[in-house]
Amino acid sequence: MVHPYTFRNENQYLHFNFHQDPYIEYEYWINKIGVDGLFTDFTGSLHNFQKWTSPLSRHGHTDDADSTKLLRMVAKMVSKYNY
């Protein structure tokens, strides 16, 4: 398994080859080179990249809408019981 390190979003560490854009750099290493994963000090941006580019992501659905739907289902199930 190959996991290059350490990816950072700070301008001094972003390469001009990727137009100083961490998402272009993630795209290159993950999808073009095919590494198994990345180590980064900015896990939020890598998570966003994976979320936005995952073939399993459901475009058009928001996490908030899914969470609200799930909470309503749980509330409906729990409301059947008297405490």
Side-chain angles (χ1 to χ4, degrees):
M1 295 183 91
V2 177
H3 293 83
Y5 67 94
T6 295
F7 291 83
R8 296 182 174 104
N9 291 7
E10 299 150 326
N11 282 335
Q12 65 186 20
Y13 298 109
L14 292 170
H15 298 278
F16 288 111
N17 294 356
F18 303 112
H19 309 285
Q20 292 190 298
D21 183 339
Y23 299 109
I24 295 173
E25 190 170 15
Y26 296 153
E27 170 73 23
Y28 174 79
W29 285 100
I30 293 171
N31 295 324
K32 300 280 192 265
I33 298 298
V35 298
D36 299 305
L38 303 173
F39 286 99
T40 179
D41 290 340
F42 296 85
T43 55
S45 65
L46 182 56
H47 173 75
N48 286 339
F49 173 79
Q50 292 172 318
K51 184 176 171 182
W52 297 333
T53 60
S54 170
L56 301 176
S57 67
R58 297 171 295 175
H59 299 290
H61 289 46
T62 64
D63 290 337
D64 290 340
D66 291 341
S67 298
T68 301
K69 183 178 178 182
L70 179 60
L71 286 173
R72 286 184 180 150
M73 289 172 46
V74 169
K76 186 177 178 180
M77 289 175 12
V78 171
S79 68
K80 296 177 184 178
Y81 299 98
N82 292 327
Y83 293 89

